[in-house]
Amino acid sequence: MSFTATALIIYAIFSSGFGRLPRAAIRAPEPLPAPVPVQVPVPVQPPAAGSVAVPRPAETVAVVADGFWLTYLPGGLVRTGGDGTGARFASAAGGFVEAQVTRGTVAADLARFLSRIKVRDARATTVRGRPAVAGRHPAGGRLIAWLERPGTGMSIRVSDSLGGELLALAASVRAPVGD
């Protein structure tokens, strides 16, 4: 009986609000801005027979090798080469992007992988949370290299004119899960 009486008293005290600090007046949040309508690109009609060919827009997805692909590729680049481990994209203006996938024991750890890649003015950075090294390539251009996972390394080299696109290209790399 005394236990029930004590429990009821405690319940009554706490449910009454006794001992609680008064609530501060909270301002209502500002209304969200009106959504901006998304512009859908209008499909381009193929040129009529006998007309001048119009260059097609740049690819947005480009396969590099073995299921590795770039989801971003700067405009004006077309694939000019590659093999089962990499790809090269170039533009008429002289810009280029080279992406290379390295597999096996040479990419077992980052130090071993980077010992095979020559990078001048190297500085540490990250690519999607993975440690990476960026710098200048001895043959010209900018380079970034990282381990996608132990046993699989990735490097991207761009011309000096596309140096500002290097990190965006590296961030756009997608790889198969569990390869």
Side-chain angles (χ1 to χ4, degrees), residues 56-59 73-79 89-93 95:
R56 60 187 197 101
E59 297 177 26
L73 195 62
L77 295 172
V78 293
R79 189 173 185 132
F89 305 91
S91 70

Side-chain angles (χ1 to χ4, degrees), residues 62-70 79 81-89 98-103 148-149 152-155 173-176 179:
V63 175
V64 175
D66 273 343
F68 280 78
W69 64 93
L70 301 171
R79 189 173 185 132
D83 54 13
T85 63
R88 180 177 171 86
F89 305 91
E98 293 176 350
Q100 187 73 33
V101 178
T102 305
R103 295 181 185 270
E148 191 62 34
R149 63 185 58 85
T152 306
M154 183 81 187
S155 63
V173 171
R174 297 296 177 257
D179 81 345

